Amino acid sequence: MRLDSTVTAALMHEPSDSTLLSDAVRVMTRLLQRGEALPGTPAVQWRDRRRLAKKRARAIEYSRGQDKKRQLYRELIAATEASRDELQAMAAGLAEPAEIEIERWRAEVAQYLPLIARVIVQTRRRVLDGEIVPASEKLVSLFEPHADIIVKGGRQVQYGHKLNLTTGKSGLILDVVIETGNPADAERFVPMLDRHIARTGAAPRQTAADGGYASRANLAAAKARGVADVAFHKKCGIAITEMVKSPWVYRRLRNFRAGIEAAISCFKRAYGATRCTWRGLDHFKAYIWSAVVAHNLVLFARLKPA
């Protein structure tokens, strides 16, 4: 068994507080336009603020000086809150019981309003109050609210979900876990090993993993579960003799582990796992698993019969 992780991006643009607020105004204006055409809609005076929001967001992007940015953010937040108040007034004025079309509209309003409230709060905290908002509390998209902020190996920040994958000697993807948040690789080594044991009924004879999974605790846990040889790509202060029988075995397992890099590269490039193009968390998971199935079916066809 060999183990590694990668990231699949969600279908969204790179977020910022100003673009999120501009998106919020755009969504609410669209809902107001649709709501106005519904039967029995109360006469609510509202204003299309999309142009204003877009101009403020663009000005924030290119302005210099924190004081000027804060003033522009105050104006953008005020425009967002004004559109929100108008949308809430329109939704509150609709009579009960309502037709299916009205209920669908209400469902969309109920979906977006809490997300827009989170965007306003986090913008106030970050920009106006100067507070550092933890990544776990940040909303990065109104349309893909499930997306996580992933920083992997000091590389560029990505927005989507972290995947932990295991493959075997054949190159087939044996397991994939779509993680919540950005857990450290070292935290996921034992759970992934346990999943493999639960599925197959026995521990793998040998295991190879990237250096991010290396720790003495993980080595001890794998040995306790019956794994004979455990090779981490980076030793991280662990002696080779503690991990495997001999340096020759370590080299072989280290080279074996490198094969999962090619499998992940093929999985992402050939089967679309670089970026999910389906909306929503459930569809994100279905997209990843369908890519795994496609990858394995093609590999099945290529494998020679024993």
Side-chain angles (χ1 to χ4, degrees):
M1 169 186 139
R2 48 190 169 186
L3 173 64
D4 205 351
S5 64
T6 188
V7 178
T8 296
L11 187 60
M12 53 175 284
H13 58 73
E14 188 170 346
S16 66
D17 293 312
S18 57
T19 57
L20 284 169
L21 289 169
S22 179
D23 285 345
V25 172
R26 179 165 55 88
V27 167
M28 289 188 290
T29 302
R30 187 171 65 221
L31 287 169
L32 285 164
Q33 289 173 337
R34 285 175 49 201
E36 200 172 37
L38 294 173
T41 303
V44 175
Q45 294 295 324
W46 63 276
R47 176 185 167 194
D48 187 342
R49 296 179 177 84
R50 287 177 294 185
R51 182 181 175 85
L52 170 65
K54 189 174 181 179
K55 287 177 69 175
R56 294 298 181 274
R58 183 62 61 88
I60 289 168
E61 183 180 357
Y62 292 105
S63 65
R64 296 182 178 179
Q66 292 302 314
D67 292 340
K68 188 173 183 180
K69 281 183 182 289
R70 287 193 188 96
Q71 181 56 37
L72 290 168
Y73 266 112
R74 289 188 184 97
E75 294 173 10
L76 184 52
I77 290 172
T80 307
E81 291 178 328
S83 293
R84 183 186 62 180
D85 293 342
E86 292 164 355
L87 183 61
Q88 288 175 330
M90 183 176 288
L94 286 169
E96 296 278 359
E99 299 176 5
I100 293 177
E101 187 180 359
I102 295 176
E103 289 303 321
R104 287 176 178 167
W105 182 84
R106 274 189 174 140
E108 281 195 58
V109 172
Q111 173 190 346
Y112 282 114
L113 282 181
L115 299 176
I116 292 168
R118 283 183 62 187
V119 170
I120 293 172
V121 168
Q122 75 183 27
T123 303
R124 287 188 181 279
R125 291 173 64 187
R126 291 186 70 252
V127 179
L128 303 184
D129 301 336
E131 184 180 342
I132 298 175
V133 180
S136 58
E137 298 179 20
K138 290 180 182 176
L139 180 72
V140 295
S141 174
L142 290 174
F143 314 107
E144 299 295 319
H146 60 87
D148 296 319
I149 302 172
I150 310 295
V151 182
K152 193 171 184 292
R155 284 167 278 179
Q156 184 180 6
V157 178
Q158 295 175 275
Y159 304 94
H161 289 284
K162 188 174 186 177
L163 312 180
N164 273 292
L165 302 99
T166 59
T167 69
K169 187 177 179 180
S170 64
L172 292 170
I173 297 175
L174 305 177
D175 192 14
V176 60
V177 174
I178 302 162
E179 305 288 358
T180 300
N182 187 20
D185 286 348
E187 298 174 4
R188 300 301 301 154
F189 179 79
V190 174
M192 294 299 293
L193 180 59
D194 286 341
R195 284 172 62 92
H196 181 87
I197 295 171
R199 186 176 61 253
T200 62
R205 184 170 58 87
Q206 296 173 313
T207 299
D210 190 46
Y213 296 92
S215 74
R216 290 190 177 277
N218 285 343
L219 176 62
K223 295 284 188 178
R225 284 162 173 76
V227 182
D229 298 310
V230 182
F232 297 116
H233 179 66
K234 295 178 182 177
K235 304 180 188 68
C236 298
I238 305 173
I240 290 178
T241 53
E242 295 180 66
M243 292 188 283
V244 298
K245 299 171 187 175
S246 68
W248 181 84
V249 173
Y250 177 78
R251 287 195 300 271
R252 291 296 297 264
L253 284 176
R254 185 183 60 186
N255 294 340
F256 170 68
R257 187 217 66 85
I260 197 173
E261 302 283 0
I264 289 175
S265 178
C266 177
F267 174 61
K268 296 182 75 171
R269 289 183 297 104
Y271 301 98
T274 300
R275 189 185 195 202
C276 175
T277 56
W278 297 355
R279 296 283 189 189
L281 180 57
D282 290 339
H283 292 160
F284 186 101
K285 293 178 178 179
Y287 183 94
I288 294 299
W289 277 105
S290 61
V292 170
V293 170
H295 172 276
N296 285 351
L297 285 174
V298 171
L299 195 55
F300 267 128
R302 291 176 179 171
L303 291 172
K304 294 181 180 179

